[in-house]
Amino acid sequence: MGSHLRARPARHNRRRRQAVITTVIAVLVVAASGTAAVAFMPGLPKSLLPATSTPSPAPVAEPAEEPDVPVEESAIPEEPALPPAPVSPAALACTTTSLMSVWAHQDDDLIFANPDISAAIAGGECVRTLYLTAGDAGKGAGYSTSRELGILRSYNVMRGAESFWDEHTVTLLSGAELTMFTPQGSTDTAVAFLRLPDGGLSAGGFPATGHTSMPMLLNGSIATIAPIDGGPPVSAEGLGHTISELISAWGPSRLFTHTPGASTLSHGDHPDHAATGTLTRQAWQAVGYPVDAVRYFIGYPSEHMPVNVSGDVLTHKVDVYRTYAKEDVVIACADNAACLSRRGFGAWLQRSYAKTDAELGIG
């Protein structure tokens, strides 16, 4: 019994030592494995529990504010500048308002648009007049040249100044060749010629110029038409671009031309007149020219309208026309009375009717 009693304390001491060892091992395990070990040891004394606070996330660095550094204007890249629009070789200086008119033949302006052109010159406006055809009537360059001379002399009468004229031949941006005349020392007045073949009253042209005409160009019967002086041929599109270019280059305050062929007001007119009016209308529309500044002058059909040019105004109009006609062997007249007695021409000279775009009735 005695020996039994000694053994029990010994066993009891061994058990205590084992319990202490077990506790120490458990603490070490908890320390190594973190809070997850707590779930496996619910009886562990609270004083030996590891801290269970949730770790804070790592701080995120705020982006550093960029200092306000003044930027010099020169450091700001500029958008590339567009190249300037090309300037037409036909551009002319004008310091006042200007009148541009476009006609089929030399003398159309004098017959149908005067006294307005004379009044513009007398009022100090710049005047630019463009003739599309050579007015050759199949008679060759000699006849056309004489008609051009008559125009220069008649414009001297309207200007009230006798002077020589300088000749300038330029190739336009459109590719067409233009011959311009300006009085020496002045660009206030200019007359210009494209010298395309005269189409005649039949619109079929003449044998001398290969039976070509502007009406044929417009209706597609021919693809191009060549000036009688050997200049480069032009298409209908190119001719339109040419007129548009000159409208832009001269920047007129007003624009005169013939009545377009689509208007009933052109019925009975010369086919070249109608074609010129059509082309000019398309050209000013293409460049956005103001419609209120355009006027169309009635041609041959005006003889059936009441007389509206008379007295001193008529006298001056016929003086200008007669000066031209001295150089035109077809219609030359010795004096004003002879000019007024000519069939057709006398009636047209006593009339001048301008219509607005709205009055054409073609939309």
Side-chain angles (χ1 to χ4, degrees), residues 116 254-260 262-266 277 281 284-285 290-298 305 352-363:
D116 292 62
R254 296 183 291 161
L255 178 63
F256 292 174
T257 191
H258 292 287
T259 305
S263 173
T264 57
L265 296 173
S266 74
R281 186 169 188 260
W284 71 252
Q285 289 176 334
V291 61
D292 293 341
V294 183
R295 292 295 181 272
Y296 305 91
F297 284 79
I298 298 178
M305 298 177 172
S352 181
Y353 283 89
K355 299 295 181 181
T356 65
D357 198 76
E359 291 173 321
L360 296 179
I362 58 178

Side-chain angles (χ1 to χ4, degrees), residues 275-327:
T276 298
T278 298
L279 285 162
T280 304
R281 186 169 188 260
Q282 293 171 350
W284 71 252
Q285 289 176 334
V287 296
Y289 188 78
V291 61
D292 293 341
V294 183
R295 292 295 181 272
Y296 305 91
F297 284 79
I298 298 178
Y300 291 174
S302 66
E303 66 178 320
H304 305 299
M305 298 177 172
V307 170
N308 64 352
V309 180
S310 59
D312 292 342
V313 175
L314 176 61
T315 298
H316 181 68
K317 179 176 181 177
V318 179
D319 284 342
V320 172
Y321 173 75
R322 179 169 50 84
T323 300
Y324 157 78
K326 288 178 181 179
E327 310 302 328

Side-chain angles (χ1 to χ4, degrees), residues 104-106 131-140 144 194-200 203-217 222 224-234 239 270-272 275-276:
H105 316 106
Q106 305 95 324
Y131 304 94
L132 299 189
T133 81
D136 55 290
K139 300 179 183 299
S144 176
L194 282 178
R195 295 172 176 163
L196 302 178
D198 189 328
F206 298 92
T209 50
H211 291 287
T212 57
S213 69
M214 287 194 300
M216 295 172 66
L217 190 69
I222 56 175
T224 60
I225 188 170
I228 70 167
D229 63 354
V234 295
L239 186 51
H270 194 297
D272 284 347
T276 298

Side-chain angles (χ1 to χ4, degrees), residues 2 6 10 40 67 87 92 123 164-165 190 203 218 232 242 260-261 268 290 304 328 342:
R6 286 194 294 270
F40 298 100
V87 178
L92 290 173
F164 292 103
W165 293 65
L218 286 181
T242 295
H304 305 299
D328 187 337
R342 292 190 64 88

